[in-house]
Structures are given as structure tokens and as C-alpha cells.
Amino acid sequence: MSTRVAARSAAPDAALPRAGVLADAALGVGILMRFILRRNWLRMLIWLIVLAGMVVLVIDSQRSLFPTQADRDAYAKVANTPAIAALTGLPYAAGTLGGILNIKLWMTVAIGLSFAVIFMVNRNGRAEEESGRTELLRSGVLGKNAYSLANWLVFSAFAVVVGLACSAAAISQGLPADGAFVMGGSFAGVGFVFVGVAAIAGQLARTSRGANALASTVLAVSYLIRAVADVNATDDRASWLTWLSPIGWGQQTRSYGENLWWPLLLCLAGGTLLCGIALALERRRDLGAGLLPDRVGPRTASALVRTQVGLSLRLQRGSLIGWTVGIIVGGLFFGGVAKAMVDLLKPDNPITQAFVGGSTNVLDGLLGFFLMANALLVAAFVLQSTDSIRAEEAAGRTEIQWSSAISRVRWAAARMVVPAVASLGLLALSGACVGLAYGAAVDDPSQSGRFALASLAYWPTALLMVGLVVFCAAVIPRAAAAVTWGIYGVVVILSMFGDLFGLPDWVTKNTPFTAVPRLDETFTILPLVVITVLVLVAGGVGLWVLQRRDMVSA
Amino acid sequence: MTTTFAVDVRGLTKRFGTTRALDGLNLQVEAGTVAGFLGPNGSGKSTTIRILLGLLRADGGEATLLGGDPWRDAVQLHRRIAYVAGDVTLWPNLTGGQTIDILGSLRGDLDRDRVDDFLARFDLDPTKKARSYSKGNRQKVALVAAFASRAELLFLDEPTNGLDPLMEGVFTECVAEARAEGRSVLLSSHIFAEVEKLCDTVTIIRDGRTVESGTLKDLRHLKRSTVTVTLDSDPAALEAIDGVHDLIADGGHTSFTVDSVALPRVLTALAALGPRDLVSTPPSLEELFLRHYGVHAAADDHEVARP
């Protein structure tokens, strides 16, 4: 049967011009590139404007922050801290505006662009395949690899355009052109490598979720490798480990410093090789199939997950780990830069005044401000975590749970335990990390405990967020998410920037965050008592209503 | 004779804003029987079940569930019931096996041997994350959890929605076994064949009201059967008999519907006409149902907003 079909189809086939195997496989690439552009131009444009726009904004702000060469030289002396090296890369040429731009922004743009290409390549690759749309296209007159090739080409070109736009942005702000082009080239190079990483991830995983996770993991590992390399630097030279990371390749172009072009060859070779491997993999696999097996999970639930608190903990495991890492990094960063910032800040500056409050001790004022900023982060975690009460109902999962042998009050209480307890731990951790990094900067390891305690003063406020969410989820289930986050946004603005806007004291000093006695203020118990009473009222009323109202159907 | 009811609902009413979802609904499930619950989308089946589960609070009427109040005694009653929703939503990042365990633990009667037995029968892989399950597989998770429980009363709300015919067969067996174990079942369904096969009693509702209920036999008994006969003589005489309707004579073949009470008279008359062949068909459940829902009535019902 199959031979007969082959024999019959041989005739028209022979009439067509014979093209090479690869040309066959790529048949239709041009059309598909237009197709991908048509479906993604807005998304690409937004990324482009955000990334290149940041270059303009950062140069502008740094120029006003360090107006003279003397200012920049002073900054260069304090710029090289381990926290900066680990987070944003090893500073070099920190006495130039271009060098400062790299310290403040290079890593953000490189990582941002890498995430952009990873998500967009998978969106147009594995996600399309998963949804079955690729099947529709591939059943037409289309080369086997055409869709993938078009996808990789479009987003490689996107990386180059973003790089050029960043160069143009820097030149438009008066930075030297050679440095600007090397910088733009380094962004494009890193972006191209991650097009290749995403291309391979899209061959290995069967779902776009899995492909994104895989490629993001490679990005995270690349970031960590170069962080280790940058921390273990000799003078302003990163350790050899940096050559194991594509992000390291980009950094080693040292734009605005030595302006080296040749590390870009590594990026070019790396990206091309990865895409080549992905192409070979695609030719060997079935449409819709992944090369890695689907991950399976446990057959039974552990004793922990079978408890309500354990279930809630399990469902939030990923987000809890993420928040913990973020809080540690943030705390270490704030604590590490506090001393250096105080050395730079002039105490009579109105902005300084607004942030550190009326404190006579600028350093304590700033550290107190950082603790509050961390508490705001912890509060965001609390909102997200407690929101599961609303989200479970909105998703329709309460139907099967509330018809089980558990009262709604106990059910909700179990979901309040996680944010309540975790916020206590996260506040202590963030304070300890600020204290640890600050203590390291001033050679006083005893700081950790003092900061952890000061940070814990925000626990009642964190609990107030639990109460707020429960109250809204019970009373206004459909609007709860918008309302709670709206309230949070207003509180953040009032607490952080209220003084800058010249709002009256009775507003700015009485938000749930600013009312808490700060590190540099005398400790008073009254605000904490008031907040605790509010927690009990909001939580109590919320639970009472939740027990009595109809379930909201999905 | 006293009957115990697993479910006893009388005159139930429920409003959602201006929509009257239930309007004096009656529903009884005798202990140890399987009760069918029929009605199109939006007629109030799911609302009734949600009230019985204590998820919604009735505005009026009486509802008794296993001798208790479904709203006030919800938690205690829920130890004795299991529920399968029409559209099962699960935690996307937990596996089917984990979900079944969690549901069993909530009720407090998790029995892994029974779970394994039903997993095998429904051919469900418990190691896959719920995210990757199809609708039918999500349904199976809830079905395995419900059948493997020791619940006295099962609420099954259109449970075979996403199942293939093979699995519908397994489902039918499981319901029959549940009854054999002395459990009660309330089965809401669109599928007449399923209800005819499984249910001891049937309740048909429309616009939140009960329009028909009783055993299938009783319901049929009250309705007209369709009779088809092959006659040598003129059937015109039949038309005169009280209780004969819709007579159509087509050559030798004659068909008509007849009220059950008129059947003895009709048979006597028929015998005189020398029938060569006779087939009498009781009304199918579908016919019983459609009697309350013309095409137009059904279309109107789709307008009724669901909660």
C-alpha cells in the first residue's frame, strides 16, 4: 500500500524543482516570520521601549546624582562592594558615566532581554505545538523545521534590535559611541544565546510551562555562576568561572572600559550551536512529543499534605521559596549598601529628610527605612498567600472542599496560618539579613539580632494584611483581590513617599507601617495594640460572614 | 409502612437576585435506593444539590439530609456523604492520587485498598498532575474519591459528562454496587438511558419546580403506551373507544396511543378485528421528559441564569 502511494506521488514530485534537504525543511520560513511578527509585534515593541527607555532614564538620573567628575570618583571608591559585585556584576570603570550605567543597569537589561526571548520563543514554539496549532500549519505545505527556524530567526533579530536600540539610547545621552555599541552588542549576544537555550528547552519539554522552567533554570544558573566569579575577583577581574556563563561572556566585553569585541564571538558561536542542536533534535522527534519524559508526582499524599495547614503549605511551596530568597537577597543588599549610601547622602538634602524621617542619626534612619521597605515586601507576600482563600473559591475548588467534613472557619483558618507564621519568619529573616550585611560593613556582627527584633515590630501589621484579605474575601468575594491590592498600593505610597508629597503628618505617620515604632524611634506599644485589635475585628468579622454566606460559584 | 428518606426536600425555594432558581421543589431519595434527577441546564439541579451540601442556604421550604439540617449540621453530615461535581476543578500542581487522599482524609475514611481498586477500574494514572488531566480524567478523580469512600449518600451531578462509553459502563457497575452495599445515590443526569438503567425513582424538574416524580414503573403506568398492530379489518372502530388517541392507519398497519386504564377495552375491541401482529411500547423516559419540555420550553430554560 505504502509503496503504491509513494510510486504515485513520485510523478508530481519529479515535476517540482529539486531543492536541498534543508531548503525543503525550511520551506515557508519567510511567510512564517511575517506571521510571527504579525502576532507578536506589540509584545516585542513594549519590551524594546522598556529596555531601551531604561537606558535613557538611568543615564539621566545618574548624571544628576553624580554631576561632577569628583562625585563620580568618590562613587568609584565605594562602588565595589561584594553585594554590588554579586547582584549586578563586578564594577569597573566606575568613575565614568558609562561605567556607572553598567553597574546600575547592565544586568537588569541582560536578564530582562533573556527572559523576554525565552518566554517569546516558547510562546511561539512549544506553546503553539502544545495547543495543536502547529499541527494545523505543519499539515499544510510547510517545511518540517520552518516554523522553528522562523521563530528563532525573529527573536534573534529582536535581540539584535534591542541591543542596537540600547546603543542608540546611550549615544543619544552623550555616551561614547564605541562603548555604547559594545554594550548593545553584549545585550544582543546574551539574548542570542538564550534564544538557543529556549530553542533546546522547547525540544526537551512537552509543555511550554516545562520549557520556560527549563530555560529559566539555565538563566538562573548562568547568573549564579557569574555571581560567584564576580565575588571571587582579583582587583577588577572576575575569576575564570565567568567564562562558563553566557552572561559572563557579555560582561567580559567590558563596555565603556576596554571595549572588547571578541567575547561576542563566544555568544555568536554558542547561540548558533544551540540552535543547531535544537534543529537536529527537532528532525528526530515526533510532533507534539518532548524528549524528556513528563514529570510524574507522588501516588499518595503524605501525612503532612493530608492536614489542612500542610495542604496550604504544599500549594504555596514554590511561592514561599521564591519570597524567602527574595527577602534574603533584598535584606543583604539593603544592609550592605546602607553605610555607603549614608556616606554619599547629604543629611540636609530634602529627599534624605523625607526617607529617613526626623532622625538625627541618618544611618539609623536609613536602616529603619529599609526595615519598613522589607516589611512592605513581606506584606505583599502575606496578601498573595492569604488570597488563596478567595482564589480557591473563584477557581471552583471550594465546592469539593466545603462539601467535605470541615467547617469553613477551620478551612479558612488553616489558610491563614501559613501567611501568619511565615510572615513572622520572613520579618525576622529580613531584619537579620539587613543586620548581617550592615554588621559586616561596620565590623559589628552583633547587629543581626537587634535588626531582627526591630523588624518583628511589623508582625501585627503583617497580620492586619491577613485580616484585611479574609474580610474582603468573605464580604466582597468577587472584588476582593482588586480591593486588597488597591489598599496595599495606597498604603505603600503613603508610607514610602507621603513626606515627599508634602502630606500632613497625621496621614503619613499613621499608616499601618509608619505607625510602627522604627529602629531609630522610642519603642511604644500602643500602635501595636491598636493594630492587633484591628486584626481581630477584621479577621473575626470575615470568618463570621464566610461561615454564613452562600458559596460563590465559579 | 415507614420509609426512611436519605434526602427529603419539600417546597424548597432559592433566589439569586431577581432570578428564582428554585420555586417549591420537592425531592425524595429513599434510603438504599438510586434516585434520578432530571432537568435541563439551568433548571435548578445543581442549585438543589448545593443547598443539600450546605454550600448555599435555602430561602424557604424544608430540607432534611440523613435526618439532619443540611445548613446547620453541615460538617457532621459531610462525614456521611460524598459528592462528584459536573465540572471537577482540582489543584493543578497536585497529582490525582494526592487529591484523592486529601479528599478521603477530609472525610476521615481514607481506605487506600479501596482507592487502588477503583483507580484500576477507572483506569486512572494517579501519578499525573491534575494540570495534565483531561476533563474526563478530572471527573474520574472525583468519582474514585467518592466511590472509595464509605459515605452513606452519594451526590453525583452529571458525573459521566466527560467519560467514554467504556468508563460509563464502569460507572454503571459502581453505582449498582453502591446500592448493593446499602448506600443511597442521587444521580443528576441528562442521559435517559443511564437513568433508566440505574434509577429506582425519578424526579423531573422544570424551572425550579418538580413536575414529575415516582418510580419509573409508576410514571409509565400513568402514561400512554404506543401500540402498533397489523390488522386485516378497518381500524376505524378503535377511534371510538375512550382513551385511544393519535390513531394513524396506514394500509394494514395501525398505530395509536392508549391510556393504561383503557387498555382492557382496547384489547377486547382489537381481538374482534383479527390482529396478525401487535407491539405495545411503554413510554420511554425521554418521552416522559419531553412531554414537559417541548422544543420551545427547552429553549426558554437556557435563558435562566445559573447561579
Side-chain angles (χ1 to χ4, degrees), chain A residues 262-428:
Chain A
W262 60 264
L264 293 182
L265 293 176
L266 282 175
C267 294
L268 193 63
T272 313
L273 181 70
L274 290 169
C275 287
I277 295 172
L279 191 69
L281 293 176
E282 184 170 54
R283 296 185 71 78
R284 274 166 186 74
R285 70 175 176 88
D286 293 337
L287 182 68
L291 293 169
L292 293 180
D294 268 347
R295 277 177 60 194
V296 298
R299 193 188 164 83
T300 57
S302 65
L304 178 69
V305 176
R306 283 190 280 129
T307 66
Q308 282 294 302
V309 174
L311 172 63
S312 182
L313 200 61
R314 167 66 187 80
L315 293 172
Q316 300 187 30
R317 189 175 63 188
S319 116
L320 207 51
I321 293 171
W323 280 100
T324 307
V325 172
I327 291 286
I328 291 175
V329 170
L332 289 176
F333 180 76
F334 286 145
V337 298
K339 179 84 172 57
M341 268 182 80
V342 170
D343 294 344
L344 284 175
L345 288 169
K346 299 176 180 71
D348 50 350
N349 182 323
I351 295 181
T352 314
Q353 292 279 320
F355 281 122
V356 302
S359 173
T360 41
N361 182 342
V362 178
L363 187 60
D364 267 6
L366 185 70
L367 287 163
F369 177 75
F370 284 160
L371 288 186
M372 187 182 78
N374 276 340
L376 285 163
L377 278 180
V378 173
F381 153 77
V382 170
L383 285 191
Q384 191 208 47
S385 172
T386 321
D387 186 58
S388 72
I389 290 176
R390 177 204 63 84
E392 289 277 281
E393 193 174 3
R397 286 191 292 267
T398 45
E399 195 166 32
I400 208 164
Q401 297 178 78
W402 292 2
S403 60
S404 295
I406 183 167
S407 74
R408 296 184 198 178
V409 168
R410 270 192 55 206
W411 176 87
R415 274 146 194 83
M416 294 158 72
V417 168
V418 172
V421 175
S423 62
L424 184 71
L426 286 175
L427 282 171

Side-chain angles (χ1 to χ4, degrees), chain A residues 297-298 301 306 399 550-551, chain B residues 14 50 55 57 95 101 105 127:
Chain A
R306 283 190 280 129
E399 195 166 32
D550 280 354
M551 189 188 76
Chain B
K14 177 73 186 172
R50 284 183 181 148
L55 299 174
R57 195 174 201 166
T95 65
D101 275 13
S105 305
T127 63

Side-chain angles (χ1 to χ4, degrees), chain A residues 232-249:
Chain A
N232 293 301
T234 356
D235 298 329
D236 67 350
R237 295 272 155 198
S239 98
W240 61 271
L241 272 172
T242 195
W243 297 106
L244 298 181
S245 161
I247 301 174
W249 302 343

